Amino acid sequence: MSSLSRELVFLILQFLEEEKFKESVHKLEKESGFYFNMKYFDEKVQAGEWDEVEKYLSGFTKVDDNRYSMKIFFEIRKQKYLEALDRQDKAKAVEILVTDLKVFSTFNEELYKEITQLLTLSNFRENEQLSKYGDTKTARSIMLIELKKLIEANPLFRDKLTFPSLKSSRLRTLINQSLNWQHQLCKNPRPNPDIKTLFTDHTCTPPNGPLAPTPVNLPVAAVAKPASYTSLGAHNPFPPTAGPANSSALAGWMANPSAPSSVQASVVTASSIPLAQNQVSVLKHPRTPPTNPGMVDYPEHEQFMKRLRPTPSIEEVTYPTSRQQTWSLDDLPRTVAVTLHQGSTVTSMDFHPTHQTLLLVGSNNGEITLWELAMRDRLVSKPFKIWDMASLPYQASIVKDAQISVSRVAWSPDGNFVGAAFTKHLIQLYTYAGSNELRQHLQIDAHVGGVNDLAFAHPNKQLCVVTCGDDKIIKVWDLSGRKLFNFEGHEAPVYSICPHHKENIQFIFSTALDGKIKAWLYDNMGSRVDYDAPGHWCTTMLYSADGSRLFSCGTSKEGDSFLVEWNESEGTIKRTYVGFRKKSTGVVQFDTTQNHFLAVGEDSQIKFWDMDNVNVLASADAEGGLPSLPRLRFSKDGNLLAVTTADNGFKILTNALGHRSLRAVENPPFEALRGPIESAVKVSANSAVSSVSPVNCKVERSSPVRPSPIINGVDPASRSMEKPRSVDDVIDKAKPWQLAEIVDSGQCRLVTLPESTESSCKAVRLLYTNSGGGILALGSNGVQKLWKWPRTEQNPSGKATASVVPQHWLPSSGLLMTNDVTVVNLEEAVPCIALSKNDSYVMSATGGKVSLFNMMTFKVMTTFMLPPPASTFLAFHPQDNNIIAIGMDDSTIHIYNVRVDEVKSKLKGHQKRITGLAFSTNLNILVSSGADAQLCVWSIDTWEKRKSIAIQIPSGKAPNGDTRVHFHTDQIRILVVHETQLAIYDASKMERIRQWVPQDMLSAPISCATYSCHSQLVFATFCDGNIGVFDADTLRLRCQIALSAYTSTSVLSGSQAVYPVVVAAHPIEPNQFAVGLTDGSVKVLEPVESEGKWGVSPPLDNGILNVRTTSSSTTSNHTPDQLQR
């Protein structure tokens, strides 16, 4: 049988299993002989169904195939014989002896005689060898252990004991793709095709109206519940063009589906299609979501729809070789690192979305507090206060009632806003601009009674606030306080809300005190689902971080707690977790993290579950002092866990990475510290005001200033209001600050990535995988290389580290990822590369066509954009992996849709080739840079040019060379890199905030630069081999790394100039970066563990920074010329 036919059998097996055709599944397993189902075999042995056991085995081996097979059959028949004797059924025992065991007499006659003699004993346990034989159940279990060892050792079972790793409903997915392809071939494709059979190819009948537009990328939808179930023809997978909110669609109870496609136009990412307005019963009888953009979903009968599983998203695919990622208990934050006293009972907590050591806390006295955990500092404290009494009709009752507490605090997704809900009527919004200040933004009298929950959402790409309350209503507000939606339908106070989205579909789950779960679209059309939560009382719903899995946790009025995972495709409970021991007097709280763990506060401890295992994985009491039902909250990266204490405070638990982030106190995510630091700074800042205009000084705190002259490499404006940023600045004030100069390999951690081939081709483009476990390099010859760090005892996280040498990884086929370089002059080609956010696909070009590679197989999925013009820069659209921005060498930018293989827009504004592209979802813009030293800003919605500016080249320098752009994590500031400068711009205005130019010890041209993952550092490489680590806010140099620190003596003494041409920052570890050198080597650098950071922020000296400072105590034996080679 061919390989494809064999794979088809596996697809059919999966289909039969999903559809619960149990007998057919095992018949096909046996008849094909492709997969031995050990679980089924185990069940039959334990049940003593010996005929079925041997019948199933016969599909894979016979008694006399080999010694393993003979032993397997002998053990089974011997057990059957002993059980007959144990029942005193001598007749059956004789039958088994003659018909089943006789065959073994020819191989071991003595053994057969011994077995026969057991018939003469009243109890076969009188035989010494069988004296320890227990009961039947125990004997079967012991035998099973032996059988499994024999089966695993038997070469006939090789490669038959593991089922291939398939996405759910893969056969249905392929049929969907086929129907989609058939529909694309229709001469007159209809928007709502009525597909009633798979027996013949699909063709659309002539339409009565205009042609349907191309399907859009949205999840399977659902609409209001109907009175009856409609015909199959109403299940139309091709909608009209979706509006901003698409009122007919709901992504509720459907996992985001997708899978790699063999269809050339649909290989980048996958999502699914909203159903037509008249779609019904989807929530009760859902359909399998299609797996490709614009995918038709074929009709199915009732039996299918009862049992369908959602198809997981392509976003879940990862490139590592192991089929499943392994996890360790060390990944859980269980070590107490910080204990802080709030002063009143903590009722709600939330970590900043990007600055993981910033914790927002709400208390039962109505106070809101912002903590910097690394420095144990209470940055901001906002006691409850009504901002505008006149605007509140209920102000009198509020003032009389002293018991006003915070019910929820939350950060907006971009970290720019803070929301607080209170137990009486109100919500308050603050703005946070990165300083130790929360500014009043908006107060809303939101609900009658208490406001029970608050969350941020993005309907129609507009940041909004969603609230719910005792008045049984869910409301949606814009940031000006205008009420956009009012959702009514609950019959009890609404306890919690969970806004979510699937691709372009935005929706809200809500739970009420009567245990009802409802789902809402932003359309005022009523709820789309109505289900009962376990316990029928207070329940909270949360998605996993990647949005693929839905969980709920709650407590009944009787005190029974429930933690469950939902099957989104059916609206049923998929998994119920066990481990709750006591009746609760309140409601248990929970959280999810790392797409793998669940945590619940119960019984004065924290209990952890693996999402895939119903039993408790671990528990922690946080060294005691927790209330009976502690509240808890994970940081967004899962490395920190905040948990409330019984003495009106909270503790921070960490894993190893979290502990390291708390140590990095020199980079707090705010502009200034409080207390003595702040007062000291005011003196130094005032002394520098004379050099800067009063206007600039005023603007510096809150918004970017206009460009100003550069002194000693740094804008004066950036010096005027700067404040010390670290505890080191306070502790070591009396000591002279020294620039960290690293000139020897012993002063840092370093690893050189190994090569499996002899190649000195320089790495001109470098990327970390988004998971942080690998590095991808594109060489100037068009060949891409991948290195991966395996999970080992030395490196349990499996993340990239300079302490462990990674593996140069290749697929089993040995295939290389090689760009199309036919008829390409490699010396003139401009390589470019982009990686999908799920690490499944990489897109690259080296002067020729753009190739899309599968990261697991290295196979080319498709090619496009045949030159001329040649592609010079690539960037995935942040919200749709089907859309790619491609910079060209003719100065244009093509907005290309991979799914339909079509250039949707061509942007013109540059004069020379495109050298950089960066998207900002906050500002809804694309910023482009070119070899013409120009920056252009484009609207993502219309692709119209908003603005164009020239970067300011220092006098005497030519505007030549590449210009690169990188957005800060706030998606507003943007780093502009040119060989003549580093510059920070405010992208909302495209005004320059700061600029640094090469000088003194770092006077060579800049070859590359990028932000660290937390955007608090800038890593810059220079053409003389030096590397500079800068403070990202001030562009002040904090550490210089010489070429001698990361290269060998032979390289330093060689005739060829070696220096980094590209730098990449680790996506999780803020102090780790990698460089690609001109000699073809790739290095990963980290600070020594005792330091944990690259130097400290330079202090101010009367507002003027002394750029050249005393060198470190470590000296180098190399001459200055060698160091600058």
Side-chain angles (χ1 to χ4, degrees):
M1 183 177 286
S2 70
S3 174
L4 288 179
S5 297
R6 185 175 184 273
E7 291 182 0
L8 179 58
V9 171
F10 281 112
L11 294 178
I12 296 171
L13 284 173
Q14 183 197 45
F15 173 79
L16 293 174
E17 175 69 25
E18 290 175 342
E19 298 306 313
K20 308 294 190 251
F21 295 122
K22 294 297 185 183
E23 291 186 10
S24 300
V25 169
H26 304 309
K27 284 183 179 178
L28 182 55
E29 288 169 353
K30 179 183 76 70
E31 291 180 1
S32 68
F34 291 153
Y35 174 60
F36 184 83
N37 191 325
M38 190 70 82
K39 181 180 178 182
Y40 175 71
F41 180 73
D42 188 313
E43 291 173 355
K44 294 304 175 184
V45 170
Q46 293 281 19
E49 298 179 24
W50 306 117
D51 291 344
E52 178 59 27
V53 168
E54 288 208 21
K55 186 178 179 182
Y56 189 70
L57 270 172
S58 67
F60 303 89
T61 185
K62 296 181 176 60
V63 175
D64 57 354
D65 277 346
N66 57 42
R67 60 190 179 94
Y68 299 102
S69 299
M70 182 175 295
K71 179 68 170 172
I72 291 169
F73 280 97
F74 174 75
E75 291 295 330
I76 291 170
R77 294 175 183 182
K78 182 185 75 172
Q79 180 64 28
K80 183 166 62 168
Y81 176 66
L82 293 177
E83 288 183 17
L85 290 175
D86 208 23
R87 297 192 307 267
Q88 299 299 316
D89 189 350
K90 293 291 180 75
K92 183 64 175 178
V94 170
E95 179 186 339
I96 295 171
L97 184 67
V98 173
T99 59
D100 295 336
L101 291 171
K102 181 68 175 177
V103 64
F104 301 106
S105 64
T106 57
F107 301 99
N108 193 332
E109 188 173 355
E110 290 301 317
L111 179 61
Y112 182 72
K113 288 179 180 179
E114 187 175 350
I115 291 174
T116 304
Q117 289 173 1
L118 297 178
L119 287 168
T120 63
L121 303 176
S122 59
N123 186 339
F124 63 81
R125 293 174 181 82
E126 297 173 12
N127 182 293
E128 183 179 355
Q129 296 182 29
L130 297 174
S131 61
K132 295 183 180 180
Y133 185 96
D135 59 276
T136 299
K137 183 178 180 181
T138 303
R140 290 175 181 175
S141 298
I142 294 172
M143 180 189 66
L144 257 176
I145 295 173
E146 180 67 19
L147 290 180
K148 289 179 180 178
K149 291 179 180 177
L150 291 169
I151 289 170
E152 290 170 357
N154 194 330
L156 294 177
F157 289 84
R158 189 169 298 148
D159 300 327
K160 296 182 180 181
L161 300 178
T162 303
F163 198 85
S165 179
L166 304 176
K167 290 188 175 295
S168 301
S169 306
R170 180 59 182 160
L171 182 60
R172 295 170 57 85
T173 296
L174 293 174
I175 296 174
N176 285 349
Q177 293 172 349
S178 172
L179 288 170
N180 184 64
W181 185 251
Q182 293 171 27
H183 187 69
Q184 290 181 8
L185 296 178
C186 292
K187 293 183 179 179
N188 298 301
R190 298 180 61 188
N192 297 306
D194 189 4
I195 302 174
K196 294 183 177 179
T197 181
L198 298 177
F199 294 157
T200 59
D201 288 348
H202 160 71
T203 55
C204 288
T205 56
N208 296 323
L211 294 182
T214 303
V216 294
N217 296 331
L218 297 175
V220 172
V223 297
K225 299 180 290 293
S228 61
Y229 186 72
T230 58
S231 67
L232 289 173
H235 292 259
N236 299 318
F238 291 91
T241 301
N246 198 328
S247 61
S248 70
L250 171 67
W253 306 99
M254 284 290 176
N256 187 15
S258 55
S261 168
S262 58
V263 180
Q264 184 176 9
S266 305
V267 291
V268 175
T269 190
S271 43
S272 32
I273 309 303
L275 304 179
Q277 187 83 12
N278 60 351
Q279 172 95 18
V280 295
S281 296
V282 175
L283 294 172
K284 297 291 185 184
H285 307 284
R287 301 181 300 115
T288 296
T291 59
N292 267 5
M295 187 62 63
V296 177
D297 198 5
Y298 65 87
E300 64 283 88
H301 52 74
E302 198 76 13
Q303 189 178 22
F304 282 174
M305 295 189 290
K306 288 179 181 176
R307 295 192 288 261
L308 286 183
R309 303 176 183 173
T311 305
S313 166
I314 197 170
E315 301 302 333
E316 300 169 10
V317 177
T318 54
Y319 66 86
T321 54
S322 59
R323 191 163 60 91
Q324 289 186 335
Q325 188 171 9
T326 57
W327 296 87
S328 164
L329 282 176
D330 294 336
D331 295 322
L332 290 172
R334 295 185 294 162
T335 303
V336 177
V338 178
T339 301
L340 293 169
H341 186 66
Q342 178 67 25
S344 58
T345 302
V346 174
T347 56
S348 181
M349 300 176 290
D350 195 23
F351 281 91
H352 191 281
T354 55
H355 300 309
Q356 306 296 337
T357 59
L358 270 185
L359 180 67
L360 186 66
V361 176
S363 307
N364 71 344
N365 64 354
E367 183 181 33
I368 300 166
T369 308
L370 182 60
W371 290 87
E372 166 47 51
L373 302 176
M375 285 176 292
R376 286 68 166 166
D377 194 5
R378 192 191 301 247
L379 300 179
V380 183
S381 183
K382 296 285 186 182
F384 175 74
K385 177 183 177 182
I386 298 174
W387 299 346
D388 183 5
M389 292 283 289
S391 65
L392 299 176
Y394 302 103
Q395 69 271 26
S397 63
I398 294 177
V399 172
K400 290 178 183 178
D401 192 341
Q403 298 300 317
I404 296 176
S405 64
V406 176
S407 54
R408 176 72 67 193
V409 290
W411 288 98
S412 63
D414 56 13
N416 294 332
F417 291 92
V418 164
F422 298 91
T423 53
K424 295 294 180 182
H425 307 286
L426 292 178
I427 67 168
Q428 293 179 344
L429 300 182
Y430 295 85
T431 58
Y432 176 73
S435 64
N436 56 333
E437 183 178 4
L438 293 177
R439 297 180 180 176
Q440 295 179 2
H441 177 73
L442 180 65
Q443 175 176 273
I444 303 175
D445 184 13
H447 292 270
V448 178
V451 183
N452 296 326
D453 203 0
L454 173 149
F456 288 90
H458 273 94
N460 305 326
K461 299 182 180 180
Q462 175 186 8
L463 182 62
C464 295
V465 180
V466 185
T467 62
C468 66
D470 289 341
D471 55 7
K472 309 175 186 178
I473 300 174
I474 299 110
K475 299 181 182 181
V476 182
W477 314 84
D478 68 15
L479 295 189
S480 67
R482 182 169 60 98
K483 185 168 65 177
L484 302 178
F485 298 98
N486 202 71
F487 300 133
E488 299 184 31
H490 276 292
E491 298 177 0
V494 184
Y495 177 73
S496 71
I497 47 178
C498 178
H500 195 60
H501 67 92
K502 297 285 187 180
E503 295 293 331
N504 296 337
I505 300 299
Q506 302 275 345
F507 56 95
I508 304 167
F509 278 116
S510 61
T511 67
L513 292 185
D514 58 1
K516 291 295 183 183
I517 298 174
K518 295 182 182 290
W520 317 80
L521 284 174
Y522 295 87
D523 59 4
N524 285 324
M525 297 286 288
S527 68
R528 296 323 208 263
V529 302
D530 189 351
Y531 288 97
D532 291 320
H536 302 278
W537 197 41
C538 298
T539 297
T540 303
M541 306 186 78
L542 288 175
Y543 274 91
S544 58
D546 60 6
S548 65
R549 301 173 71 173
L550 178 63
F551 303 88
S552 72
C553 182
T555 305
S556 69
K557 293 180 179 179
E558 293 75 28
D560 297 315
S561 297
F562 301 88
L563 176 63
V564 303
E565 180 179 4
W566 290 88
N567 185 326
E568 286 190 280
S569 69
E570 299 179 3
T572 58
I573 293 173
K574 177 179 180 180
R575 183 180 285 112
T576 300
Y577 300 89
V578 298
F580 296 102
R581 294 182 179 178
K582 294 185 177 181
K583 295 272 187 179
S584 299
T585 56
V587 182
V588 295
Q589 306 292 320
F590 88 119
D591 202 0
T592 73
T593 188
Q594 300 181 26
N595 299 315
H596 196 79
F597 298 114
L598 302 166
V600 173
E602 191 241 4
D603 194 18
S604 298
Q605 58 184 319
I606 306 154
K607 296 181 178 179
F608 299 95
W609 281 264
D610 183 317
M611 289 181 178
D612 298 322
N613 192 320
V614 298
N615 297 309
V616 174
L617 175 67
S619 61
D621 64 0
E623 300 177 359
L626 303 186
S628 59
L629 296 174
R631 296 178 180 272
L632 47 83
R633 188 69 169 172
F634 283 105
S635 61
K636 300 305 181 286
D637 59 10
N639 295 323
L640 304 178
L641 174 61
V643 58
T644 57
T645 59
D647 60 352
N648 297 337
F650 59 91
K651 296 182 178 183
I652 302 300
L653 281 63
T654 70
N655 57 19
L657 290 175
H659 183 71
R660 194 175 304 166
S661 69
L662 289 180
R663 287 174 53 200
V665 295
E666 82 284 5
N667 284 320
F670 49 91
E671 290 293 330
L673 306 181
R674 304 179 68 218
I677 305 175
E678 190 170 33
S679 60
V681 169
K682 289 180 181 177
V683 177
S684 62
N686 290 338
S687 64
V689 169
S690 59
S691 64
V692 188
S693 70
V695 175
N696 280 349
C697 291
K698 181 178 180 181
V699 175
E700 178 65 29
R701 284 179 181 259
S702 58
S703 63
V705 298
R706 295 185 177 278
S708 55
I710 301 169
I711 302 174
N712 290 334
V714 183
D715 284 352
S718 69
R719 293 193 292 271
S720 61
M721 299 299 292
E722 290 302 330
K723 303 178 182 182
R725 292 170 47 83
S726 75
V727 169
D728 303 282
D729 297 339
V730 180
I731 297 174
D732 298 330
K733 271 197 305 186
K735 300 178 182 179
W737 175 83
Q738 290 184 331
L739 173 73
E741 292 183 282
I742 297 176
V743 296
D744 185 85
S745 59
Q747 295 175 273
C748 65
R749 287 184 288 161
L750 170 71
V751 65
T752 301
L753 306 194
E755 293 277 3
S756 61
T757 57
E758 294 297 328
S759 173
S760 59
C761 178
K762 66 180 178 181
V764 289
R765 300 291 180 263
L766 202 61
L767 297 172
Y768 276 93
T769 58
N770 294 293
S771 67
I775 288 180
L776 185 66
L778 172 58
S780 56
N781 60 353
V783 177
Q784 286 142 112
K785 300 173 185 176
L786 176 63
W787 292 270
K788 295 195 294 187
W789 276 259
R791 189 183 289 266
T792 62
E793 290 186 10
Q794 190 178 359
N795 184 31
S797 69
K799 303 299 183 186
T801 172
S803 301
V804 175
V805 178
Q807 300 171 349
H808 183 191
W809 191 85
L810 288 171
S812 56
S813 64
L815 196 64
L816 297 176
M817 282 192 287
T818 306
N819 286 139
D820 168 38
V821 292
T822 56
V823 302
V824 171
N825 185 341
L826 292 177
E827 293 183 0
E828 297 179 357
V830 179
C832 49
I833 188 171
L835 183 64
S836 66
K837 61 183 179 181
N838 60 347
D839 294 336
S840 294
Y841 300 97
V842 63
M843 174 176 57
S844 61
T846 309
K849 292 182 290 186
V850 178
S851 300
L852 186 74
F853 297 92
N854 183 305
M855 282 281 282
M856 293 189 71
T857 64
F858 286 10
K859 292 181 179 178
V860 177
M861 306 299 292
T862 187
T863 59
F864 48 91
M865 302 304 290
L866 178 70
S871 304
T872 56
F873 204 92
L874 303 168
F876 282 103
H877 192 291
Q879 296 167 329
D880 186 352
N881 270 354
N882 280 314
I883 305 298
I884 304 165
I886 307 176
M888 314 300 287
D889 65 1
D890 68 350
S891 78
T892 62
I893 303 167
H894 292 190
I895 307 302
Y896 176 74
N897 188 314
V898 178
R899 180 170 55 82
V900 298
D901 190 21
E902 182 180 337
V903 175
K904 292 296 186 181
S905 298
K906 187 178 293 186
L907 314 183
K908 298 181 179 180
H910 288 275
Q911 305 303 315
K912 295 183 179 180
R913 73 172 185 274
I914 305 301
T915 58
L917 296 168
F919 284 95
S920 169
T921 51
N922 278 7
L923 300 176
N924 218 31
I925 60 172
L926 167 67
V927 176
S928 61
S929 59
D932 54 1
Q934 295 281 326
L935 303 176
C936 292
V937 181
W938 314 85
S939 166
I940 291 178
D941 293 329
T942 63
W943 300 116
E944 294 178 352
K945 186 168 72 173
R946 291 184 180 178
K947 196 168 186 178
S948 178
I949 64 168
I951 66 172
Q952 297 182 10
I953 303 295
S955 60
K957 302 289 185 179
N960 298 325
D962 294 353
T963 305
R964 296 294 174 87
V965 285
H966 306 274
F967 265 106
H968 189 282
T969 53
D970 65 10
Q971 294 278 288
I972 296 174
R973 285 172 283 178
I974 191 168
L975 173 67
V976 178
V977 183
H978 186 263
E979 65 178 33
T980 65
Q981 64 186 280
L982 301 173
I984 307 292
Y985 283 75
D986 177 355
S988 65
K989 306 171 185 177
M990 287 314 293
E991 293 181 354
R992 197 186 72 200
I993 307 171
R994 286 166 182 69
Q995 185 184 47
W996 181 92
V997 297
Q999 67 207 267
D1000 297 333
M1001 69 185 73
L1002 297 179
S1003 57
I1006 300 167
S1007 58
C1008 192
T1010 188
Y1011 274 123
S1012 63
C1013 64
H1014 61 359
S1015 296
Q1016 293 179 23
L1017 303 174
V1018 172
F1019 303 120
T1021 59
F1022 295 81
C1023 293
D1024 60 359
N1026 277 304
I1027 300 172
V1029 181
F1030 295 80
D1031 184 286
D1033 286 345
T1034 64
L1035 289 185
R1036 291 187 175 124
L1037 183 65
R1038 48 187 294 146
C1039 180
Q1040 179 211 350
I1041 305 170
L1043 182 64
S1044 57
Y1046 60 93
T1047 55
S1048 63
T1049 306
S1050 60
V1051 171
L1052 290 171
S1053 59
S1055 58
Q1056 183 181 3
V1058 175
Y1059 62 89
V1061 291
V1062 62
V1063 62
H1066 192 282
I1068 301 171
E1069 183 57 54
N1071 285 287
Q1072 184 187 137
F1073 63 91
V1075 291
L1077 309 185
T1078 52
D1079 64 356
S1081 63
V1082 177
K1083 316 270 186 176
V1084 174
L1085 288 89
E1086 288 184 282
V1088 292
E1089 291 188 358
S1090 60
E1091 294 291 333
K1093 54 188 181 290
W1094 298 108
V1096 297
S1097 298
L1100 293 168
D1101 183 10
N1102 293 327
I1104 303 298
L1105 175 69
N1106 293 322
V1107 177
R1108 181 59 179 169
T1109 61
T1110 306
S1111 63
S1112 63
S1113 59
T1114 304
T1115 59
S1116 170
N1117 294 325
H1118 299 290
T1119 65
D1121 290 339
Q1122 286 175 314
L1123 290 175
Q1124 303 226 353
R1125 188 175 300 279

